[in-house]
Amino acid sequence: MGELRRTILITGASAGIGAALARECAGRGYDLILTARREAPLKALAEELTAQHGVVASVIAADLAEPGAPARLVEAVASRGLKVDGLINNAGFSRTTGFLSTDPADHAAMIRVMLTAPVELSRLLLPGMTARNWGRVLNVASLAGQMPATGGDTLYGPIKSFLIKASQGLWLETQGTGVHVTALCPGYTYTEFHDVNGSREQVSSAYPKWMWMEADRVARIGWDAVEANRPRVTPGVANNVLAALGGLLPDALALRMVGGHAKRLDRL
């Protein structure tokens, strides 16, 4: 790609959809900046992608739950002489123990990682993209952001809903600039996400296999969508049906539908 070689910054790149997106971008010839809290898996992934695709994969360990982390991350990128042509805001986690039973520090961390950090990183990096007349911003939201809110993981859906709306607003603002913005809204995906929040056994037994997707397929659909400049994409036919129902049903009926999900989370 020579002088036209582009570099994509991916948060939460150590596993799951983030790692799948790193592999997808590397396969398309993009250089990468990989960031997450855990440095060891990032280094292993960087070595894998360099060996398989010949791309440059830089590693910067960072914890986006820390106040000021996005600015420090951007400073670290600049100090290495790197520029960011594309941003994938993927880092995230959830807590399923209920609003009153969850440590307020965990709530604050969720908001910083999944809401504040994407906003700050976008604001810091978009000026450079627009100045170069080329950029890609892929915000990994969730089907949960298109569905009625649930109890148990009370803040997760609302945060993802915010990310979808913010992505749509940025999509409108960046038309004609060469920058594409997309919200990726996956449903249940085979990653370590549910292992981390302790809900793996419950969700695996509660939801049939046809509702689940592989991370590499989700990543491919997501990157195809941002290249095509689609403001939002929801992978999978079943997930699109659920999203449509979530938007059409009256609140009372919709909340009854998700009530069972909340009770399962309360038992975790």
Side-chain angles (χ1 to χ4, degrees), residues 57 78 119 121 130 134 145 160 202 206 215 226 248:
V119 171
L121 287 172
T130 56
W134 197 97
K160 293 300 189 179
Q202 285 75 13
V226 77
L248 292 173

Side-chain angles (χ1 to χ4, degrees), residues 84-196:
V84 176
D85 301 294
L87 169 65
I88 298 176
N89 287 304
N90 168 74
F93 64 96
S94 76
R95 290 291 180 263
T96 61
T97 51
F99 186 79
L100 296 181
S101 299
T102 300
D103 189 332
D106 284 343
H107 283 156
M110 284 181 65
I111 292 169
R112 282 195 291 267
V113 171
M114 295 194 295
L115 193 156
T116 305
V119 171
E120 292 186 3
L121 287 172
S122 297
R123 183 62 183 85
L124 290 165
L125 296 171
L126 274 169
M129 298 183 200
T130 56
R132 293 187 292 271
N133 299 308
W134 197 97
R136 302 289 184 266
V137 178
L138 182 64
N139 291 320
V140 180
S142 172
L143 175 64
Q146 302 175 85
M147 299 293 289
T150 60
D153 54 350
T154 313
L155 296 185
Y156 185 81
I159 290 172
K160 293 300 189 179
S161 181
F162 169 89
L163 196 56
I164 293 169
K165 296 297 185 184
S167 301
Q168 291 171 328
L170 282 177
W171 181 87
L172 289 170
E173 288 197 35
T174 54
Q175 293 305 291
T177 68
V179 176
H180 298 179
V181 181
T182 298
L184 171 61
C185 304
Y188 287 107
T189 306
Y190 289 114
T191 69
E192 65 177 21
F193 180 87
H194 294 101
D195 299 310
V196 173

Side-chain angles (χ1 to χ4, degrees), residues 179-238:
V179 176
H180 298 179
V181 181
T182 298
L184 171 61
C185 304
Y188 287 107
T189 306
Y190 289 114
T191 69
E192 65 177 21
F193 180 87
H194 294 101
D195 299 310
V196 173
N197 70 18
S199 64
R200 167 65 62 193
E201 182 178 349
Q202 285 75 13
V203 296
S204 295
S205 61
Y207 300 103
K209 288 185 176 180
W210 57 263
M211 290 187 65
W212 292 80
M213 296 182 66
E214 298 291 342
D216 57 352
R217 185 181 172 206
V218 170
R220 184 170 60 255
I221 291 170
W223 197 256
D224 282 344
V226 77
E227 290 285 16
N229 201 19
R230 297 174 58 189
R232 179 175 65 183
V233 62
T234 303
V237 174

